[in-house]
């Protein structure tokens, strides 16, 4: 069976960097948006599944960005 992919810790990374890293790992990226005044614009605020989770190749990772 194909080995799983470990979801990287992209919290506080920029949206662009986070998307690039997930796509390099062969994961699908789904984006949610939320605005938090105290945080940098486009920073990753949350991830689902959480960083460190092992998922099948091609899985969807949802990132919430500050927008």
């Amino acid at each position: 069976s194909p080995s799983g992919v470990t979801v990287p810790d992209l919290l506080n990374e920029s949206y662009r960097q986070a998307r690039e890293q997930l796509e390099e790992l062969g994961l699908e990226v789904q984006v949610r948006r939320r605005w938090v005044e105290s945080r940098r614009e486009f920073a990753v605020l949350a991830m689902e599944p959480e960083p460190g989770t092992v998922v099948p190749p091609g899985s969807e990772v949802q990132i919430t960005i500050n927008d």
Side-chain angles (χ1 to χ4, degrees):
S1 61
S3 58
V5 178
T6 302
V7 176
D9 184 355
L10 302 171
L11 297 171
N12 300 315
E13 295 276 355
S14 73
Y15 166 62
R16 189 173 53 84
Q17 288 174 314
R19 180 171 206 112
E20 278 176 10
Q21 286 190 58
L22 292 171
E23 287 177 346
E24 275 174 22
L25 290 169
L27 299 171
E28 298 290 317
V29 184
Q30 186 189 32
V31 179
R32 295 183 60 206
R33 294 176 159 80
R34 191 170 84 221
W35 179 247
V36 179
E37 187 69 48
S38 59
R39 302 286 290 278
R40 192 163 47 90
E41 190 178 16
F42 303 130
V44 176
L45 301 173
M47 298 180 63
E48 179 65 38
E50 290 186 7
T53 306
V54 178
V55 297
S59 294
E60 186 174 270
V61 175
Q62 181 176 280
I63 60 175
T64 301
I65 63 167
N66 198 28
D67 185 19

